[in-house]
Structures are given as C-alpha cells and as structure tokens.
Amino acid sequence: QVPLDLSSTGVDFYTAGPLKWLLGGPGLAYLYVRRELVRQLAPRITSWFAADGQFDFDLRGFRYRSDARRFEMGTPALPTVHTALGGQEIIDQVGIEAIVARNRHLTERLVRHLAEHGVIVDHRPGFVRISPHVYNNEEEIDRCVDVLAAYSG
C-alpha cells in the first residue's frame, strides 16, 4: 500500500503476502529477516529447500544455507508464485508512488461521498475501513450498503 524500505526500519522480521495489495493470490508468504540475523537463526521447521546442497539429500549432515533461503518451507505452489510474480510486474510497471496517489484520490472521493450521506467510517490518509462490530445494528449496515450502492461518482 505504501513504499517501505525494511532495511532502514531496524525491524528484525517482517512477514507479508501477495494477496490483495500486492495483486497476487492466497497461499504464499514473504519473510524478511534482518541480514545480520540470517546466519544466527536455525529454523525449527525446515525443508530440503533450506539445505546447503539441497540435492544431496544428506539426512545425517544437514546444513542450513548461509543466505535467507534457509527459511524456505519446501516446494512452493507454482501457480501461486506465478500469480504473485504477475502482480509484482504490474506494481513495478505502474510504480508504487502512482499507486499510492491513485488509492489516496479514490479513498478521499469515497469518504467525501459517505460523509455527505451521514455514514461515518474510519478514515486514515488514503484508506477507508468499514468494520461492523457488536455495537452496530442491521439498519446501520443496510444504510451503509445503500449509500455505497447509490454512489455514482
């Protein structure tokens, strides 16, 4: 949704997936591990993809790869990978700055319409969240849906 340079944040780990905002599908996850930690960590659950010499199939002398691939969990679902790669190509082609600006514009427009009709939503810069909870009633939900359905731009 927004540009993020993980190496400049100081975080040790960050996980995400390509579903929705990265234009990919479900069933895939990304893991960032701060470079200085990669060699210090030995995952408790692993697979042959994480092995140094992965095609040796040496069960007695297992050694983790020296790079971040030591965290890989096995054969990925290739159709999901290709879907995610296609989504990434679109993001790279359009550009993250253009995507952020477009999403912000569309969100502001939607918030303005909802506010004009008395529908209150959670608005954060560039984002709208409609999140029904126990304190809402069915009429409020119906009104929100009706106002959204009536939107003509």
Side-chain angles (χ1 to χ4, degrees), residues 4-66:
L4 179 60
D5 176 8
L6 289 172
S7 61
S8 69
T9 66
V11 300
D12 292 334
F13 306 97
Y14 184 88
T15 186
L19 184 63
K20 295 187 181 187
W21 295 107
L22 290 178
L23 308 179
L28 189 63
Y30 305 133
L31 173 66
Y32 166 86
V33 178
R34 188 167 47 89
R35 185 177 308 276
E36 296 80 17
L37 294 177
V38 170
R39 288 183 173 213
Q40 297 176 30
L41 302 172
R44 294 180 69 193
I45 300 173
T46 192
S47 76
W48 68 287
F49 273 74
D52 187 32
Q54 75 184 75
F55 295 106
D56 295 343
F57 301 105
D58 181 3
L59 298 178
R60 297 189 201 311
F62 181 88
R63 293 176 323 280
Y64 287 103
R65 296 177 65 106
S66 62

Side-chain angles (χ1 to χ4, degrees), residues 104-120:
R104 184 168 285 123
H105 168 76
L106 294 173
T107 300
E108 297 296 332
R109 183 180 174 110
L110 176 60
V111 169
R112 192 168 40 252
H113 173 75
L114 293 171
E116 288 170 359
H117 291 84
V119 176
I120 300 168

Side-chain angles (χ1 to χ4, degrees), residues 71-138:
F71 301 105
E72 289 190 21
M73 292 299 300
T75 307
L78 291 178
T80 303
V81 170
H82 288 287
T83 300
L85 289 172
Q88 187 63 54
E89 286 178 19
I90 292 169
I91 291 170
D92 291 343
Q93 185 177 36
V94 174
I96 191 69
E97 291 79 12
I99 291 170
V100 170
R102 179 68 174 162
N103 288 350
R104 184 168 285 123
H105 168 76
L106 294 173
T107 300
E108 297 296 332
R109 183 180 174 110
L110 176 60
V111 169
R112 192 168 40 252
H113 173 75
L114 293 171
E116 288 170 359
H117 291 84
V119 176
I120 300 168
V121 295
D122 186 6
H123 173 239
R124 299 167 188 161
F127 307 98
V128 173
R129 181 174 182 172
I130 300 171
S131 185
H133 202 29
V134 67
Y135 45 73
N136 292 111
N137 61 44
E138 291 178 10

